[in-house]
Amino acid sequence: MFWTQTVLLTCLVVAFTVTLFEGTDSAVVSDKKDVKASDPQGALQKIFMPEADASNFFKRRSRRATKSQDEIDAEQRQRLAADQRMRQYHEEQRNKFENYAEEENDEQEERTRQSTEQWREFHYDGLDPPYDYNRHTV
């Protein structure tokens, strides 16, 4: 019985709080004058804009309107940076594969050389000179 009273009291408190703050449209902001907040620099000034500008942000330029040179330059820089990252990635992958292939070829040549030497030692009967000096011509 006690837990039902606790739940009912909590619901009433929540309902009272919601109705009390129903008219609030935004968060509370401190009135303290902070040096960093009152003097935004560079890109920080472009982050915040007046409400009128914000509502018309997407309406300012239609799809077919020409872009400013700054927008074109920024997009081109982004494309060039992405292309550079892609080139570097593919170059790294190619270098990794080339190193892997070279190591595999070296290991395969070493195994082939060892097996050839073993075959020569096993088949050498001692009567003829070693293989390098015993090349029969046909």
Side-chain angles (χ1 to χ4, degrees):
M1 190 69 169
F2 178 73
W3 63 272
T4 56
Q5 292 174 349
T6 307
V7 170
L8 182 61
L9 182 63
T10 306
C11 290
L12 287 174
V13 169
V14 169
F16 175 73
T17 307
V18 168
T19 57
L20 181 66
F21 295 114
E22 186 177 357
T24 306
D25 290 336
S26 63
V28 176
V29 179
S30 174
D31 289 339
K32 294 179 183 178
K33 299 247 178 182
D34 190 13
V35 175
K36 294 178 185 175
S38 64
D39 187 26
Q41 299 173 357
L44 291 178
Q45 290 177 344
K46 296 179 181 178
I47 293 175
F48 301 104
M49 61 177 63
E51 186 177 351
D53 292 343
S55 65
N56 294 326
F57 181 74
F58 292 108
K59 297 178 185 177
R60 263 191 287 184
R61 181 170 52 89
S62 66
R63 285 186 175 187
R64 295 175 184 253
T66 58
K67 296 179 181 178
S68 69
Q69 189 61 38
D70 292 336
E71 288 177 311
I72 294 171
D73 292 343
E75 289 176 1
Q76 186 65 18
R77 280 193 302 272
Q78 287 179 339
R79 276 192 220 102
L80 291 174
D83 290 345
Q84 180 67 24
R85 286 191 302 269
M86 190 179 303
R87 274 195 300 274
Q88 289 174 352
Y89 172 76
H90 287 299
E91 183 178 353
E92 289 174 5
Q93 295 299 317
R94 184 176 61 246
N95 289 339
K96 284 181 185 178
F97 177 74
E98 287 175 356
N99 291 339
Y100 169 77
E102 186 176 350
E103 289 176 7
E104 285 294 317
N105 288 338
D106 291 346
E107 290 175 5
Q108 182 62 39
E109 289 173 2
E110 180 66 22
R111 287 193 295 269
T112 303
R113 187 186 61 75
Q114 288 176 351
S115 64
T116 304
E117 287 179 2
Q118 289 175 355
W119 186 90
R120 286 179 186 161
E121 288 176 6
F122 180 78
H123 288 81
Y124 179 63
D125 57 0
L127 299 176
D128 295 322
Y131 177 80
D132 292 323
Y133 304 106
N134 188 22
R135 295 186 180 165
H136 300 289
T137 57
V138 177

